[in-house]
Amino acid sequence: MTYSKPARTTTRRIRIRRIRVAGLLVAIAAIAALGYRFLASSSSTAASPIHVLRSEHRGALGEALPSTVWPADGQAAFVQTGQSQVHAGPNQHAAAIASLAKVMTAYLVLRDHPLRLGQDGPTITLTDADVAGTDRRRGQQESVVSIAAGEQLTERQALQALLLPSANNIAAVLARWDAGSADRFVARMNGIARSLGMTHTRYTDPSGYDDATVSTAADQVRIVDRAMRLPVFASIVATPSATLPVAGTVHNTNTLLGHDGFVGVKTGSDDAAGGCFAFRAIRWIDGKRTTITGVVLGQPGHNQIAAGLAAADAMVDRIAGQPLTSPSSTETFPDLPATRSPNASAHRPCTSWAPRRRERSIIGSIPTARC
């Protein structure tokens, strides 16, 4: 009888301790859960979509295809018929894109001033200031076409000059004609880039001559795919040559056009960007007619345009020969429509992805002007 009271007291103390311990464990679990959520949130915020693509690539596509489709240098990405995802290779980072910027320029002009197939569109009258600007650009060894004050170009002819010989002076003309000034036009270029989810892209000029105009291969696939949905754009970049009032006959810098299934779209090159090529090719894969839209950036070689073309040609061959049947690094298309980065290897011999013997006549004599 003398021990009954202490027993009740001990039991009560034990219950209190158990409650306290349980409460402490719940608190610790809650803190741990909150910490995990915070770290996960911080990680997802800090890691850009391109970083996710790179890590996924190493664990997926690289294992499925021991000999990958990607060029040995630079960066690349592509999308195939019927897909809503971009397959992005390693090394995705914002880099100079040279004249691939003109794809966005043409897309914006055609959005603001739509043309149907067979239409020439309104005329653009060239001025003394346009001629002076052309002379200045020519002195800087930029890619230009000859013009004269008072010359009239139709919208279609201006786009042909922009996209075939890659005329920087006509990029400036179109920007002024469309938006009133280059600055306003560039602001609209960046607005469209944002709407397309091109989060690693910044345009600073309409031609791409400025090395601060940067993007990634994966971002550029988005705008190339969108531009190729415009029949007039697709028809122009599929044209080997065109005739302009003053410049006469101008030729497409894409000398793969009409070979190996290539039907477009745009070359680019300079010391900062290396060899760049936005392309579309049609191949048969697993018995199906397949459209491959892709971009290669930063290809090294003395002839940078040739290096870009050769890398794309080899990449398409490998895609067609080794179709993607397993998961890969991908980035989904949305529904809505830096500083200088010199390429130290821009002039070293091109040892990777050399053109095959049958192609040397196609890409062996490509001009090397900045375009």
Side-chain angles (χ1 to χ4, degrees):
M1 296 297 292
T2 56
Y3 293 99
S4 59
K5 186 174 181 180
R8 288 196 298 269
T9 303
T10 301
T11 302
R12 183 173 60 187
R13 286 177 180 173
I14 291 173
R15 288 175 181 173
I16 292 172
R17 286 174 184 171
R18 286 177 177 173
I19 292 171
R20 286 177 178 174
V21 170
L24 181 60
L25 290 175
V26 170
I28 291 172
I31 292 171
L34 288 173
Y36 176 82
R37 290 179 61 185
F38 175 78
L39 290 173
S41 175
S42 300
S43 175
S44 63
T45 301
S48 68
I50 295 301
H51 291 154
V52 173
L53 292 178
R54 286 177 10 184
S55 63
E56 287 178 355
H57 167 81
R58 286 194 284 271
L61 183 58
E63 294 174 2
L65 300 176
S67 178
T68 68
V69 302
W70 312 115
D73 296 287
Q75 55 182 294
F78 72 94
V79 66
Q80 290 180 229
T81 302
Q83 296 181 348
S84 61
Q85 294 176 320
V86 178
H87 300 277
N91 305 320
Q92 298 288 317
H93 66 281
I97 59 172
S99 283
L100 265 59
K102 295 184 175 92
V103 174
M104 175 65 84
T105 296
Y107 177 73
L108 179 51
V109 167
L110 282 169
R111 271 189 35 151
D112 292 344
H113 309 275
L115 291 179
R116 294 180 181 177
L117 288 174
Q119 289 183 329
D120 292 324
T123 58
I124 305 168
T125 302
L126 304 182
T127 66
D128 289 328
D130 294 328
V131 174
T134 297
D135 292 340
R136 174 180 57 80
R137 294 175 188 278
R138 184 179 285 113
Q140 296 174 171
Q141 296 186 328
E142 294 187 45
S143 177
V144 300
V145 295
S146 297
I147 61 172
E151 176 186 0
Q152 289 190 328
L153 293 175
T154 66
E155 180 184 348
R156 175 184 289 275
Q157 288 172 329
L159 290 169
Q160 289 172 332
L162 177 78
L163 296 170
L164 272 58
S166 197
N168 289 1
N169 56 333
I170 302 303
V173 167
L174 283 168
R176 171 184 56 79
W177 176 69
D178 179 84
S181 73
D183 288 344
R184 284 196 289 269
F185 188 83
V186 168
R188 298 196 59 223
M189 294 172 76
N190 286 308
I192 291 179
R194 287 191 297 272
S195 74
L196 293 176
M198 298 166 63
T199 56
H200 295 76
T201 298
R202 179 183 64 188
Y203 293 100
T204 59
D205 71 321
S207 70
Y209 180 79
D210 185 355
D211 297 339
T213 288
V214 296
S215 186
T216 64
D219 274 8
Q220 285 300 298
V221 168
R222 294 172 180 271
I223 183 58
V224 172
D225 180 80
R226 189 57 61 98
M228 287 296 283
R229 300 180 194 182
L230 303 177
V232 169
F233 179 93
S235 70
I236 290 174
V237 297
T239 304
S241 63
T243 301
L244 306 177
V246 171
T249 301
V250 295
H251 298 279
N252 198 328
T253 57
N254 173 15
T255 52
L256 277 178
L257 191 65
H259 302 272
D260 294 344
F262 282 86
V263 295
V265 290
K266 186 75 190 73
T267 64
S269 70
D270 61 33
D271 289 344
C276 305
F277 185 33
F279 61 88
R280 172 163 287 183
I282 299 173
R283 294 288 185 90
W284 287 85
I285 300 178
D286 288 342
K288 297 180 180 179
R289 186 177 185 272
T290 304
T291 299
I292 303 168
T293 303
V295 170
V296 295
L297 302 178
Q299 299 305 302
H302 178 69
N303 189 330
Q304 295 160 341
I305 295 180
L309 292 168
D313 196 18
M315 181 174 156
V316 169
D317 279 350
R318 296 197 173 209
I319 293 169
Q322 298 178 352
L324 295 174
T325 57
S326 61
S328 65
S329 354
T330 56
E331 186 173 359
T332 304
F333 278 118
D335 294 330
L336 296 173
T339 58
R340 288 177 180 265
S341 53
N343 186 341
S345 63
H347 293 291
R348 76 181 184 208
C350 181
T351 56
S352 300
W353 306 92
R356 296 183 295 280
R357 182 179 303 275
R358 64 187 172 84
E359 295 162 352
R360 294 193 183 276
S361 62
I362 302 172
I363 62 178
S365 59
I366 301 168
T368 57
R370 289 188 63 156
C371 63

